[in-house]
Amino acid sequence: MNEKAEELDRVEKKDLFGSGHRACGGCGQALAARLVHDAAGENTIACVATGCLEVFSSPYPDPSWRIPFLHSLFENPAAVASGVEAAYKALRKGPVNIIAQAGDGSTADIGFQCISGMFERGHNVLYVCYDNEAYMNTGVQRSSFTPYGAWTSTTPMGNPTRKKNLPLIAADHGIPYVATATVDDFRDLQRKVKTALSIEGPKYIHILVPCPLGWGHSGELTVKICRLAKDTGLFPIFEIREGKITNVQKISVKVPVEEYLKLQGRFRFLFKRGVPTEEVAVIQKIANQNIERFNL
Ligand SMILES: Cc1ncc(C[n+]2csc(CCOP(=O)(O)OP(=O)(O)O)c2C)c(N)n1
Ligand SMILES: [Mg+2]
């Protein structure tokens, strides 16, 4: 198909995760969900944990989903997806794409053991984490993906701990495919979803999804903030196959973390009258460690 025909096809096609949902303007998670399911195609089952995505997309009578959708508990989308996959196998049905998906709170905290079990048992499921770095649905509480220094309603003086690195923990389970992505680069994100779904076994994709409400930025900055997260080194973009890093998105011009932090209200108190405090230097050190570790 030529480019023009492809574009027409894309415009005319109905989104599998459709418009009319109740996400905030500029919600990175809504955009990510649309891109993920668009890449996955119709032959897909979505197992979605409690969280913003489920709340803004599923209320009866006007859900946004044009594919089968299962709402799991906050803690168990990976277990539900594992069960769906086992049922398909037992009934000798399929193949079908099964995508377990959840926010960072579900993924990093309460749902973690179910994910680890799903990886370890080897289910043929793609797990997607929409990482907005806090429990947004219930009022911006801290999760273990909240970055160092960020304000949340439960860390009013700034988060004192560092973000848990789940992509590497996932890879250390020996699963065949792990990737990170953001919503500023549609092609990269969708290629990774397609790649993941073409591989048999458990897969993990971790997507950074800015949250204008919780991060304190205006909606039109969502894409810019993703770019800065990458260009500062705070959110490295890579793929890991069978435990080996096989692809890293290099930073062409490295940007100081200040540029990322100062656009977001959650980091406002790290600057005194516009001058960075020593906490900013701690965050720069984290970015530098990522740059070194992943050879960005
Ligand atoms: C066992 C349990 N504890 C707490 C809750 C309340 N709860 C629902 S969603 C949510 C936070 C979701 O955060 P996250 O997974 O990061 O998704 P987000 O809303 O940020 O997209 C919480 C605490 C729940 N539903 N079940
Ligand atoms: Mg969250």
PDB file of all heavy atoms in Angstrom, residues 29 49-56 73-75 102-107 110 130-139 141 143 209 211, ligand 1:
ATOM      1  N   GLN A  29      -2.200   9.039  28.858  1.00  0.00           N
ATOM      2  CA  GLN A  29      -2.655   7.652  28.934  1.00  0.00           C
ATOM      3  C   GLN A  29      -3.724   7.350  27.872  1.00  0.00           C
ATOM      4  O   GLN A  29      -3.721   6.278  27.266  1.00  0.00           O
ATOM      5  CB  GLN A  29      -3.204   7.361  30.341  1.00  0.00           C
ATOM      6  CG  GLN A  29      -3.520   5.909  30.560  1.00  0.00           C
ATOM      7  CD  GLN A  29      -3.704   5.518  32.011  1.00  0.00           C
ATOM      8  OE1 GLN A  29      -3.666   4.348  32.337  1.00  0.00           O
ATOM      9  NE2 GLN A  29      -3.893   6.470  32.895  1.00  0.00           N
ATOM     10  N   ALA A  49      -6.873  -2.898  34.426  1.00  0.00           N
ATOM     11  CA  ALA A  49      -7.024  -2.754  35.876  1.00  0.00           C
ATOM     12  C   ALA A  49      -7.812  -1.494  36.220  1.00  0.00           C
ATOM     13  O   ALA A  49      -7.895  -0.564  35.424  1.00  0.00           O
ATOM     14  CB  ALA A  49      -5.643  -2.654  36.531  1.00  0.00           C
ATOM     15  N   THR A  50      -8.341  -1.465  37.420  1.00  0.00           N
ATOM     16  CA  THR A  50      -8.911  -0.227  37.947  1.00  0.00           C
ATOM     17  C   THR A  50      -7.851   0.865  37.904  1.00  0.00           C
ATOM     18  O   THR A  50      -6.689   0.630  38.192  1.00  0.00           O
ATOM     19  CB  THR A  50      -9.354  -0.467  39.401  1.00  0.00           C
ATOM     20  OG1 THR A  50     -10.458  -1.345  39.373  1.00  0.00           O
ATOM     21  CG2 THR A  50      -9.739   0.818  40.093  1.00  0.00           C
ATOM     22  N   GLY A  51      -8.282   2.052  37.543  1.00  0.00           N
ATOM     23  CA  GLY A  51      -7.364   3.186  37.424  1.00  0.00           C
ATOM     24  C   GLY A  51      -7.996   4.183  36.474  1.00  0.00           C
ATOM     25  O   GLY A  51      -9.119   3.974  36.003  1.00  0.00           O
ATOM     26  N   CYS A  52      -7.278   5.249  36.155  1.00  0.00           N
ATOM     27  CA  CYS A  52      -7.858   6.290  35.293  1.00  0.00           C
ATOM     28  C   CYS A  52      -8.408   5.719  33.983  1.00  0.00           C
ATOM     29  O   CYS A  52      -9.534   6.018  33.599  1.00  0.00           O
ATOM     30  CB  CYS A  52      -6.817   7.354  34.971  1.00  0.00           C
ATOM     31  SG  CYS A  52      -6.677   8.625  36.228  1.00  0.00           S
ATOM     32  N   LEU A  53      -7.604   4.900  33.294  1.00  0.00           N
ATOM     33  CA  LEU A  53      -8.024   4.408  31.979  1.00  0.00           C
ATOM     34  C   LEU A  53      -9.380   3.706  32.049  1.00  0.00           C
ATOM     35  O   LEU A  53     -10.275   3.969  31.254  1.00  0.00           O
ATOM     36  CB  LEU A  53      -6.960   3.457  31.411  1.00  0.00           C
ATOM     37  CG  LEU A  53      -7.317   2.753  30.102  1.00  0.00           C
ATOM     38  CD1 LEU A  53      -7.557   3.751  28.975  1.00  0.00           C
ATOM     39  CD2 LEU A  53      -6.217   1.774  29.693  1.00  0.00           C
ATOM     40  N   GLU A  54      -9.515   2.832  33.017  1.00  0.00           N
ATOM     41  CA  GLU A  54     -10.781   2.091  33.160  1.00  0.00           C
ATOM     42  C   GLU A  54     -11.927   3.047  33.482  1.00  0.00           C
ATOM     43  O   GLU A  54     -13.016   2.966  32.914  1.00  0.00           O
ATOM     44  CB  GLU A  54     -10.601   1.030  34.251  1.00  0.00           C
ATOM     45  CG  GLU A  54     -11.877   0.406  34.785  1.00  0.00           C
ATOM     46  CD  GLU A  54     -12.352   1.080  36.073  1.00  0.00           C
ATOM     47  OE1 GLU A  54     -11.526   1.468  36.888  1.00  0.00           O
ATOM     48  OE2 GLU A  54     -13.572   1.206  36.238  1.00  0.00           O
ATOM     49  N   VAL A  55     -11.658   4.008  34.359  1.00  0.00           N
ATOM     50  CA  VAL A  55     -12.715   4.922  34.799  1.00  0.00           C
ATOM     51  C   VAL A  55     -13.165   5.835  33.656  1.00  0.00           C
ATOM     52  O   VAL A  55     -14.358   6.025  33.437  1.00  0.00           O
ATOM     53  CB  VAL A  55     -12.246   5.748  36.018  1.00  0.00           C
ATOM     54  CG1 VAL A  55     -13.201   6.877  36.329  1.00  0.00           C
ATOM     55  CG2 VAL A  55     -12.074   4.850  37.235  1.00  0.00           C
ATOM     56  N   PHE A  56     -12.209   6.358  32.893  1.00  0.00           N
ATOM     57  CA  PHE A  56     -12.645   7.320  31.866  1.00  0.00           C
ATOM     58  C   PHE A  56     -13.119   6.664  30.575  1.00  0.00           C
ATOM     59  O   PHE A  56     -13.700   7.314  29.725  1.00  0.00           O
ATOM     60  CB  PHE A  56     -11.603   8.418  31.612  1.00  0.00           C
ATOM     61  CG  PHE A  56     -10.296   8.018  30.952  1.00  0.00           C
ATOM     62  CD1 PHE A  56     -10.248   7.521  29.663  1.00  0.00           C
ATOM     63  CD2 PHE A  56      -9.085   8.216  31.637  1.00  0.00           C
ATOM     64  CE1 PHE A  56      -9.039   7.191  29.053  1.00  0.00           C
ATOM     65  CE2 PHE A  56      -7.873   7.899  31.032  1.00  0.00           C
ATOM     66  CZ  PHE A  56      -7.851   7.383  29.737  1.00  0.00           C
ATOM     67  N   LEU A  73      -9.550  -6.196  38.903  1.00  0.00           N
ATOM     68  CA  LEU A  73      -9.305  -5.416  40.109  1.00  0.00           C
ATOM     69  C   LEU A  73      -8.037  -4.584  39.919  1.00  0.00           C
ATOM     70  O   LEU A  73      -7.275  -4.773  38.964  1.00  0.00           O
ATOM     71  CB  LEU A  73      -9.150  -6.340  41.312  1.00  0.00           C
ATOM     72  CG  LEU A  73     -10.381  -7.174  41.664  1.00  0.00           C
ATOM     73  CD1 LEU A  73     -10.058  -8.111  42.816  1.00  0.00           C
ATOM     74  CD2 LEU A  73     -11.562  -6.284  42.009  1.00  0.00           C
ATOM     75  N   PHE A  74      -7.796  -3.692  40.865  1.00  0.00           N
ATOM     76  CA  PHE A  74      -6.584  -2.858  40.853  1.00  0.00           C
ATOM     77  C   PHE A  74      -5.334  -3.753  40.843  1.00  0.00           C
ATOM     78  O   PHE A  74      -4.329  -3.449  40.214  1.00  0.00           O
ATOM     79  CB  PHE A  74      -6.638  -1.993  42.129  1.00  0.00           C
ATOM     80  CG  PHE A  74      -5.567  -0.965  42.289  1.00  0.00           C
ATOM     81  CD1 PHE A  74      -4.980  -0.324  41.211  1.00  0.00           C
ATOM     82  CD2 PHE A  74      -5.162  -0.595  43.565  1.00  0.00           C
ATOM     83  CE1 PHE A  74      -4.012   0.648  41.395  1.00  0.00           C
ATOM     84  CE2 PHE A  74      -4.191   0.376  43.750  1.00  0.00           C
ATOM     85  CZ  PHE A  74      -3.611   0.995  42.669  1.00  0.00           C
ATOM     86  N   GLU A  75      -5.425  -4.889  41.530  1.00  0.00           N
ATOM     87  CA  GLU A  75      -4.237  -5.698  41.795  1.00  0.00           C
ATOM     88  C   GLU A  75      -4.015  -6.864  40.825  1.00  0.00           C
ATOM     89  O   GLU A  75      -2.975  -7.509  40.918  1.00  0.00           O
ATOM     90  CB  GLU A  75      -4.286  -6.260  43.225  1.00  0.00           C
ATOM     91  CG  GLU A  75      -5.529  -7.080  43.577  1.00  0.00           C
ATOM     92  CD  GLU A  75      -6.666  -6.257  44.163  1.00  0.00           C
ATOM     93  OE1 GLU A  75      -6.877  -5.135  43.663  1.00  0.00           O
ATOM     94  OE2 GLU A  75      -7.345  -6.718  45.085  1.00  0.00           O
ATOM     95  N   ALA A 102      -2.333  -1.542  32.785  1.00  0.00           N
ATOM     96  CA  ALA A 102      -2.624  -0.882  34.046  1.00  0.00           C
ATOM     97  C   ALA A 102      -1.727   0.327  34.233  1.00  0.00           C
ATOM     98  O   ALA A 102      -0.735   0.502  33.514  1.00  0.00           O
ATOM     99  CB  ALA A 102      -2.391  -1.861  35.203  1.00  0.00           C
ATOM    100  N   GLY A 103      -2.071   1.120  35.221  1.00  0.00           N
ATOM    101  CA  GLY A 103      -1.251   2.268  35.586  1.00  0.00           C
ATOM    102  C   GLY A 103      -0.036   1.832  36.384  1.00  0.00           C
ATOM    103  O   GLY A 103       0.169   0.646  36.682  1.00  0.00           O
ATOM    104  N   ASP A 104       0.749   2.820  36.767  1.00  0.00           N
ATOM    105  CA  ASP A 104       1.988   2.522  37.499  1.00  0.00           C
ATOM    106  C   ASP A 104       1.700   2.017  38.915  1.00  0.00           C
ATOM    107  O   ASP A 104       2.432   1.162  39.426  1.00  0.00           O
ATOM    108  CB  ASP A 104       2.871   3.765  37.578  1.00  0.00           C
ATOM    109  CG  ASP A 104       2.118   4.971  38.093  1.00  0.00           C
ATOM    110  OD1 ASP A 104       1.232   5.457  37.371  1.00  0.00           O
ATOM    111  OD2 ASP A 104       2.397   5.421  39.226  1.00  0.00           O
ATOM    112  N   GLY A 105       0.634   2.519  39.537  1.00  0.00           N
ATOM    113  CA  GLY A 105       0.333   2.073  40.901  1.00  0.00           C
ATOM    114  C   GLY A 105       0.002   0.595  40.909  1.00  0.00           C
ATOM    115  O   GLY A 105       0.542  -0.188  41.700  1.00  0.00           O
ATOM    116  N   SER A 106      -0.865   0.197  39.992  1.00  0.00           N
ATOM    117  CA  SER A 106      -1.235  -1.207  39.878  1.00  0.00           C
ATOM    118  C   SER A 106      -0.006  -2.050  39.530  1.00  0.00           C
ATOM    119  O   SER A 106       0.258  -3.086  40.139  1.00  0.00           O
ATOM    120  CB  SER A 106      -2.307  -1.365  38.797  1.00  0.00           C
ATOM    121  OG  SER A 106      -2.538  -2.714  38.522  1.00  0.00           O
ATOM    122  N   THR A 107       0.774  -1.581  38.569  1.00  0.00           N
ATOM    123  CA  THR A 107       1.904  -2.351  38.059  1.00  0.00           C
ATOM    124  C   THR A 107       3.045  -2.460  39.074  1.00  0.00           C
ATOM    125  O   THR A 107       3.540  -3.547  39.354  1.00  0.00           O
ATOM    126  CB  THR A 107       2.442  -1.682  36.773  1.00  0.00           C
ATOM    127  OG1 THR A 107       1.381  -1.592  35.833  1.00  0.00           O
ATOM    128  CG2 THR A 107       3.595  -2.458  36.172  1.00  0.00           C
ATOM    129  N   ILE A 110       0.650  -2.812  43.933  1.00  0.00           N
ATOM    130  CA  ILE A 110      -0.265  -3.872  44.379  1.00  0.00           C
ATOM    131  C   ILE A 110      -0.377  -5.040  43.379  1.00  0.00           C
ATOM    132  O   ILE A 110      -0.663  -6.165  43.762  1.00  0.00           O
ATOM    133  CB  ILE A 110      -1.654  -3.272  44.711  1.00  0.00           C
ATOM    134  CG1 ILE A 110      -2.470  -4.239  45.550  1.00  0.00           C
ATOM    135  CG2 ILE A 110      -2.384  -2.820  43.461  1.00  0.00           C
ATOM    136  CD1 ILE A 110      -3.724  -3.609  46.156  1.00  0.00           C
ATOM    137  N   TYR A 130       0.991   1.915  31.803  1.00  0.00           N
ATOM    138  CA  TYR A 130       0.857   3.345  31.485  1.00  0.00           C
ATOM    139  C   TYR A 130       1.346   4.105  32.707  1.00  0.00           C
ATOM    140  O   TYR A 130       0.636   4.211  33.712  1.00  0.00           O
ATOM    141  CB  TYR A 130      -0.601   3.697  31.208  1.00  0.00           C
ATOM    142  CG  TYR A 130      -1.231   2.907  30.072  1.00  0.00           C
ATOM    143  CD1 TYR A 130      -2.171   1.910  30.324  1.00  0.00           C
ATOM    144  CD2 TYR A 130      -0.894   3.174  28.741  1.00  0.00           C
ATOM    145  CE1 TYR A 130      -2.767   1.199  29.293  1.00  0.00           C
ATOM    146  CE2 TYR A 130      -1.480   2.457  27.702  1.00  0.00           C
ATOM    147  CZ  TYR A 130      -2.408   1.479  27.983  1.00  0.00           C
ATOM    148  OH  TYR A 130      -2.991   0.775  26.967  1.00  0.00           O
ATOM    149  N   ASP A 131       2.561   4.614  32.612  1.00  0.00           N
ATOM    150  CA  ASP A 131       3.227   5.169  33.788  1.00  0.00           C
ATOM    151  C   ASP A 131       3.040   6.689  33.864  1.00  0.00           C
ATOM    152  O   ASP A 131       3.738   7.444  33.183  1.00  0.00           O
ATOM    153  CB  ASP A 131       4.723   4.813  33.703  1.00  0.00           C
ATOM    154  CG  ASP A 131       5.510   5.324  34.898  1.00  0.00           C
ATOM    155  OD1 ASP A 131       4.884   5.771  35.874  1.00  0.00           O
ATOM    156  OD2 ASP A 131       6.751   5.260  34.844  1.00  0.00           O
ATOM    157  N   ASN A 132       2.083   7.121  34.704  1.00  0.00           N
ATOM    158  CA  ASN A 132       1.943   8.570  34.942  1.00  0.00           C
ATOM    159  C   ASN A 132       2.513   8.947  36.314  1.00  0.00           C
ATOM    160  O   ASN A 132       2.253  10.015  36.840  1.00  0.00           O
ATOM    161  CB  ASN A 132       0.505   9.053  34.743  1.00  0.00           C
ATOM    162  CG  ASN A 132      -0.484   8.274  35.590  1.00  0.00           C
ATOM    163  OD1 ASN A 132      -0.104   7.673  36.594  1.00  0.00           O
ATOM    164  ND2 ASN A 132      -1.751   8.301  35.222  1.00  0.00           N
ATOM    165  N   GLU A 133       3.253   8.035  36.874  1.00  0.00           N
ATOM    166  CA  GLU A 133       4.114   8.282  38.041  1.00  0.00           C
ATOM    167  C   GLU A 133       3.380   8.656  39.323  1.00  0.00           C
ATOM    168  O   GLU A 133       3.929   9.314  40.189  1.00  0.00           O
ATOM    169  CB  GLU A 133       5.190   9.318  37.678  1.00  0.00           C
ATOM    170  CG  GLU A 133       6.034   8.857  36.486  1.00  0.00           C
ATOM    171  CD  GLU A 133       7.264   9.717  36.200  1.00  0.00           C
ATOM    172  OE1 GLU A 133       7.155  10.938  36.325  1.00  0.00           O
ATOM    173  OE2 GLU A 133       8.313   9.151  35.857  1.00  0.00           O
ATOM    174  N   ALA A 134       2.113   8.223  39.435  1.00  0.00           N
ATOM    175  CA  ALA A 134       1.380   8.365  40.706  1.00  0.00           C
ATOM    176  C   ALA A 134       0.005   7.700  40.559  1.00  0.00           C
ATOM    177  O   ALA A 134      -0.386   7.318  39.462  1.00  0.00           O
ATOM    178  CB  ALA A 134       1.205   9.815  41.101  1.00  0.00           C
ATOM    179  N   TYR A 135      -0.687   7.572  41.677  1.00  0.00           N
ATOM    180  CA  TYR A 135      -2.066   7.056  41.664  1.00  0.00           C
ATOM    181  C   TYR A 135      -2.975   8.232  41.315  1.00  0.00           C
ATOM    182  O   TYR A 135      -3.456   8.934  42.196  1.00  0.00           O
ATOM    183  CB  TYR A 135      -2.464   6.546  43.045  1.00  0.00           C
ATOM    184  CG  TYR A 135      -1.751   5.341  43.599  1.00  0.00           C
ATOM    185  CD1 TYR A 135      -0.547   4.880  43.101  1.00  0.00           C
ATOM    186  CD2 TYR A 135      -2.324   4.650  44.671  1.00  0.00           C
ATOM    187  CE1 TYR A 135       0.079   3.771  43.646  1.00  0.00           C
ATOM    188  CE2 TYR A 135      -1.698   3.543  45.220  1.00  0.00           C
ATOM    189  CZ  TYR A 135      -0.497   3.115  44.701  1.00  0.00           C
ATOM    190  OH  TYR A 135       0.119   2.017  45.251  1.00  0.00           O
ATOM    191  N   MET A 136      -3.204   8.448  40.036  1.00  0.00           N
ATOM    192  CA  MET A 136      -3.923   9.650  39.618  1.00  0.00           C
ATOM    193  C   MET A 136      -5.421   9.537  39.883  1.00  0.00           C
ATOM    194  O   MET A 136      -6.062  10.495  40.300  1.00  0.00           O
ATOM    195  CB  MET A 136      -3.664   9.925  38.137  1.00  0.00           C
ATOM    196  CG  MET A 136      -2.206  10.231  37.841  1.00  0.00           C
ATOM    197  SD  MET A 136      -1.552  11.514  38.947  1.00  0.00           S
ATOM    198  CE  MET A 136       0.114  11.661  38.342  1.00  0.00           C
ATOM    199  N   ASN A 137      -5.958   8.354  39.632  1.00  0.00           N
ATOM    200  CA  ASN A 137      -7.408   8.184  39.729  1.00  0.00           C
ATOM    201  C   ASN A 137      -7.957   8.522  41.109  1.00  0.00           C
ATOM    202  O   ASN A 137      -9.078   9.006  41.236  1.00  0.00           O
ATOM    203  CB  ASN A 137      -7.743   6.737  39.362  1.00  0.00           C
ATOM    204  CG  ASN A 137      -9.201   6.443  39.473  1.00  0.00           C
ATOM    205  OD1 ASN A 137     -10.005   7.195  38.948  1.00  0.00           O
ATOM    206  ND2 ASN A 137      -9.541   5.385  40.166  1.00  0.00           N
ATOM    207  N   THR A 138      -7.160   8.294  42.129  1.00  0.00           N
ATOM    208  CA  THR A 138      -7.652   8.502  43.489  1.00  0.00           C
ATOM    209  C   THR A 138      -7.093   9.776  44.127  1.00  0.00           C
ATOM    210  O   THR A 138      -7.239   9.976  45.332  1.00  0.00           O
ATOM    211  CB  THR A 138      -7.303   7.283  44.363  1.00  0.00           C
ATOM    212  OG1 THR A 138      -5.975   6.869  44.053  1.00  0.00           O
ATOM    213  CG2 THR A 138      -8.259   6.143  44.131  1.00  0.00           C
ATOM    214  N   GLY A 139      -6.421  10.617  43.342  1.00  0.00           N
ATOM    215  CA  GLY A 139      -6.000  11.904  43.893  1.00  0.00           C
ATOM    216  C   GLY A 139      -4.505  12.089  44.048  1.00  0.00           C
ATOM    217  O   GLY A 139      -4.039  12.702  45.013  1.00  0.00           O
ATOM    218  N   GLN A 141      -1.721  10.136  44.619  1.00  0.00           N
ATOM    219  CA  GLN A 141      -0.861   9.609  45.688  1.00  0.00           C
ATOM    220  C   GLN A 141       0.399   8.992  45.062  1.00  0.00           C
ATOM    221  O   GLN A 141       0.391   8.554  43.920  1.00  0.00           O
ATOM    222  CB  GLN A 141      -1.600   8.527  46.501  1.00  0.00           C
ATOM    223  CG  GLN A 141      -2.781   9.028  47.307  1.00  0.00           C
ATOM    224  CD  GLN A 141      -4.080   9.020  46.520  1.00  0.00           C
ATOM    225  OE1 GLN A 141      -4.163   8.468  45.435  1.00  0.00           O
ATOM    226  NE2 GLN A 141      -5.099   9.653  47.066  1.00  0.00           N
ATOM    227  N   SER A 143       3.360   6.493  44.015  1.00  0.00           N
ATOM    228  CA  SER A 143       3.549   5.058  43.752  1.00  0.00           C
ATOM    229  C   SER A 143       5.054   4.802  43.765  1.00  0.00           C
ATOM    230  O   SER A 143       5.844   5.745  43.880  1.00  0.00           O
ATOM    231  CB  SER A 143       2.978   4.660  42.377  1.00  0.00           C
ATOM    232  OG  SER A 143       3.910   4.944  41.348  1.00  0.00           O
ATOM    233  N   VAL A 209       3.460   8.284  30.373  1.00  0.00           N
ATOM    234  CA  VAL A 209       2.248   9.000  29.945  1.00  0.00           C
ATOM    235  C   VAL A 209       2.020  10.222  30.851  1.00  0.00           C
ATOM    236  O   VAL A 209       1.476  10.108  31.942  1.00  0.00           O
ATOM    237  CB  VAL A 209       1.007   8.063  29.941  1.00  0.00           C
ATOM    238  CG1 VAL A 209       1.124   7.020  28.860  1.00  0.00           C
ATOM    239  CG2 VAL A 209       0.773   7.365  31.272  1.00  0.00           C
ATOM    240  N   CYS A 211       0.604  13.312  32.847  1.00  0.00           N
ATOM    241  CA  CYS A 211      -0.735  13.566  33.384  1.00  0.00           C
ATOM    242  C   CYS A 211      -0.812  15.058  33.728  1.00  0.00           C
ATOM    243  O   CYS A 211      -0.258  15.492  34.744  1.00  0.00           O
ATOM    244  CB  CYS A 211      -0.931  12.711  34.636  1.00  0.00           C
ATOM    245  SG  CYS A 211      -2.386  13.154  35.598  1.00  0.00           S
TER     246      CYS A 211
HETATM  247  C1  LIG B   1      -7.361  -3.110  46.561  1.00  0.00           C
HETATM  248  C2  LIG B   1      -7.636  -1.717  46.126  1.00  0.00           C
HETATM  249  N1  LIG B   1      -7.024  -0.708  46.777  1.00  0.00           N
HETATM  250  C3  LIG B   1      -7.263   0.580  46.388  1.00  0.00           C
HETATM  251  C4  LIG B   1      -8.125   0.841  45.370  1.00  0.00           C
HETATM  252  C5  LIG B   1      -8.419   2.264  45.000  1.00  0.00           C
HETATM  253  N2  LIG B   1      -7.786   2.642  43.760  1.00  0.00           N
HETATM  254  C6  LIG B   1      -8.419   2.572  42.574  1.00  0.00           C
HETATM  255  S1  LIG B   1      -7.496   3.141  41.310  1.00  0.00           S
HETATM  256  C7  LIG B   1      -6.228   3.531  42.337  1.00  0.00           C
HETATM  257  C8  LIG B   1      -4.984   4.201  41.828  1.00  0.00           C
HETATM  258  C9  LIG B   1      -4.616   3.856  40.441  1.00  0.00           C
HETATM  259  O1  LIG B   1      -3.317   4.305  40.165  1.00  0.00           O
HETATM  260  P1  LIG B   1      -2.557   3.807  38.893  1.00  0.00           P
HETATM  261  O2  LIG B   1      -2.533   2.340  38.843  1.00  0.00           O
HETATM  262  O3  LIG B   1      -1.247   4.506  38.856  1.00  0.00           O
HETATM  263  O4  LIG B   1      -3.495   4.298  37.701  1.00  0.00           O
HETATM  264  P2  LIG B   1      -3.847   5.814  37.255  1.00  0.00           P
HETATM  265  O5  LIG B   1      -5.157   6.132  37.862  1.00  0.00           O
HETATM  266  O6  LIG B   1      -2.745   6.703  37.721  1.00  0.00           O
HETATM  267  O7  LIG B   1      -3.900   5.731  35.778  1.00  0.00           O
HETATM  268  C10 LIG B   1      -6.526   3.187  43.656  1.00  0.00           C
HETATM  269  C11 LIG B   1      -5.627   3.408  44.817  1.00  0.00           C
HETATM  270  C12 LIG B   1      -8.750  -0.240  44.723  1.00  0.00           C
HETATM  271  N3  LIG B   1      -9.586  -0.066  43.693  1.00  0.00           N
HETATM  272  N4  LIG B   1      -8.491  -1.506  45.123  1.00  0.00           N
END
